[in-house]
Amino acid sequence: MAAKMTVPFYGHVRQYQDLKSELDKAWVDVMTSGQYVMGPALARFEKELAAYFGTKHAIGVGNGTDALWLSLMALGIGPGDEVITTTNTFFATAEAIWIAGARAVFVDSEPATNNIDVSKIEKAVTPKTRAIIPVHLYGQCAEMDKIAAIAKRHKLAVIEDCAQAIDAAGAGFRIGHLSDAVGTSFIIQKNLGTFGDGGAVMTNRDDVAEGIRRLRNHGSLKRSVHSYGFNSRLDDIHAAVLSVKLKRITAWSDRRREIAAQYTRALDGVRNVLKLPQELPGYRHVYHLYVVETLRGGRDAFLKFLNDEGVDAKCHYPIAIHQQEGYPWGREARIVGAVKNSEWNAANCISLPMFPELTQSEIDYTIEKTLEACRRIG
Ligand SMILES: *Cc1c(COP(=O)(O)O)cnc(C)c1O
């Protein structure tokens, strides 16, 4: 048995230390350039990001939530319109629909991946439905090929919530190529994160790109000329940081996948106690989160045991969207059908530490303590 140690949930400072000289140069360059907002560092990063996604456009915005509601607005979706998404996501997905003034319509997630249950989407379509927002939860793509086919049948827009899934891919499809827009987040804890907030929209549609460019900058594409808009820009200092980090994203995702494979191998013998993450055939899951689910209950005790033993496991997310009292229900949102999987997931999920800079002894210790928790509580 290993001596007690602490395993953190995030490795932000380690990542900074690894890239220190390059990052320090990047932000000093911005600082001494005299250009901090909508400057050359942003333009460079947007070009790199579009090339990376293989999309025609990438547009930096203030954060991932803005990326989603600005996309809705650029597509002309707002009051009187309905947007379908899932009850199993971070709150911001639903919030973005509410900010745009549209009505959120929720369907359940499915048990294998915890992504939107594609078989439930068509039951939620009404004459008012304008869009679907699939979420690539935990770092695994939703079934975009099936979602795109449904969208085509009903003439709906698709906006991918890729906040957790940069560098993920599906079987035979890439993010941004079966949708009208992709919103992503660069808040520090995401797989590609800056030291603060940031976000971007990727799209192949010129009209959507122009709409986002206008909306993020006070409705202005030309100095002193304005239509309506907002202030939601990605600062040059963040863009410069993200340019340094974007070059590493594939290697970081590969390392996450390698750690996930170690967890899954080691926990194979306790599948009667824990449901393990499942990667769909041919998909590239990038494990923003490695989420296990307790099959016999006892999640809170399980989590407390890990935390007491020094493993900073967490829960994503213990309260499903429709269980949030703060969400505007009634006229402004509705749920279609039972959402049993989302509720079950909220009650049983545990996220184990997962970031590329985890050391082998931290991985081994997390495995040892998780197995011990299974013996004691499972
Ligand atoms: C983080 C996240 C967002 C919001 O991103 P912010 O940059 O925090 O606004 C949206 N959707 C999902 C699924 C997320 O995980």
Side-chain angles (χ1 to χ4, degrees), residues 292-299 315 343-350:
V292 299
E293 294 160 292
T294 48
L295 287 165
R296 303 172 179 175
R299 188 270 310 276
C315 269
E343 288 173 359
W344 188 83
N345 172 267
N348 294 289
C349 62
I350 296 170

Side-chain angles (χ1 to χ4, degrees), residues 62-68 88-96 133-138 161-165 183-190 196-200 288-289 316-317:
N63 56 66
T65 311
D66 288 5
L68 296 173
N88 198 2
T89 177
F90 179 58
F91 192 70
T93 316
E95 196 178 23
I133 304 187
V135 182
H136 305 320
L137 197 68
Y138 309 150
D161 182 342
C162 168
Q164 303 189 357
T184 200
S185 167
F186 303 124
I187 193 172
I188 181 70
Q189 63 264 37
K190 298 294 158 78
D197 278 298
H288 172 61
L289 297 168
H316 297 83
Y317 298 92

Side-chain angles (χ1 to χ4, degrees), residues 121-307:
I121 293 176
E122 276 186 299
K123 295 189 190 86
V125 174
T126 76
K128 291 184 172 170
T129 309
R130 296 283 314 280
I132 307 167
I133 304 187
V135 182
H136 305 320
L137 197 68
Y138 309 150
Q140 176 157 235
C141 287
E143 293 172 281
M144 286 301 299
D145 39 357
K146 293 182 189 164
I147 292 166
I150 294 169
K152 193 165 174 214
R153 240 183 340 264
H154 299 274
K155 298 192 167 49
L156 309 176
V158 179
I159 300 169
E160 298 173 73
D161 182 342
C162 168
Q164 303 189 357
I166 198 158
D167 200 42
F173 66 84
R174 291 179 72 186
I175 292 172
H177 295 263
L178 294 176
S179 63
D180 296 274
V182 181
T184 200
S185 167
F186 303 124
I187 193 172
I188 181 70
Q189 63 264 37
K190 298 294 158 78
N191 289 21
L192 179 64
T194 185
F195 298 93
D197 278 298
V201 176
M202 274 59 64
T203 180
N204 282 318
R205 282 180 56 169
D206 295 340
D207 59 335
V208 173
E210 185 180 310
I212 301 283
R213 287 204 176 92
R214 199 187 284 279
L215 289 167
R216 74 167 171 182
N217 190 32
H218 307 296
S220 178
L221 290 172
K222 198 174 155 206
R223 192 174 166 77
S224 302
V225 180
H226 301 264
S227 58
Y228 70 89
F230 306 86
N231 175 350
S232 181
R233 296 171 298 227
L234 179 66
D235 294 321
D236 275 55
I237 195 144
H238 292 304
V241 165
L242 291 164
S243 281
V244 171
K245 291 194 177 188
L246 182 63
K247 289 184 281 197
R248 272 85 182 183
I249 190 65
T250 303
W252 285 338
S253 308
D254 289 346
R255 172 68 178 150
R256 285 175 182 271
R257 287 173 58 74
E258 206 269 311
I259 296 167
Q262 288 196 45
Y263 280 161
T264 299
R265 258 197 315 276
L267 300 176
D268 190 52
V270 291
R271 282 183 188 268
N272 55 335
V273 182
L274 292 180
K275 185 163 162 254
L276 305 182
Q278 199 176 312
E279 186 176 49
L280 294 181
Y283 277 54
R284 174 173 166 84
H285 190 328
V286 293
Y287 295 96
H288 172 61
L289 297 168
Y290 187 95
V291 175
V292 299
E293 294 160 292
T294 48
L295 287 165
R296 303 172 179 175
R299 188 270 310 276
D300 293 348
F302 208 107
L303 191 63
K304 184 175 183 305
F305 176 82
L306 290 176
N307 292 166

Side-chain angles (χ1 to χ4, degrees), residues 20-36 39-42 44 236-241 243-244 247:
K20 190 172 186 318
S21 57
E22 226 179 305
L23 285 169
D24 289 356
K25 181 180 179 318
W27 53 56
V28 168
D29 283 352
V30 172
M31 233 85 91
T32 50
S33 76
Q35 291 174 283
Y36 313 109
L42 175 64
R44 188 182 68 220
D236 275 55
I237 195 144
H238 292 304
V241 165
S243 281
V244 171
K247 289 184 281 197

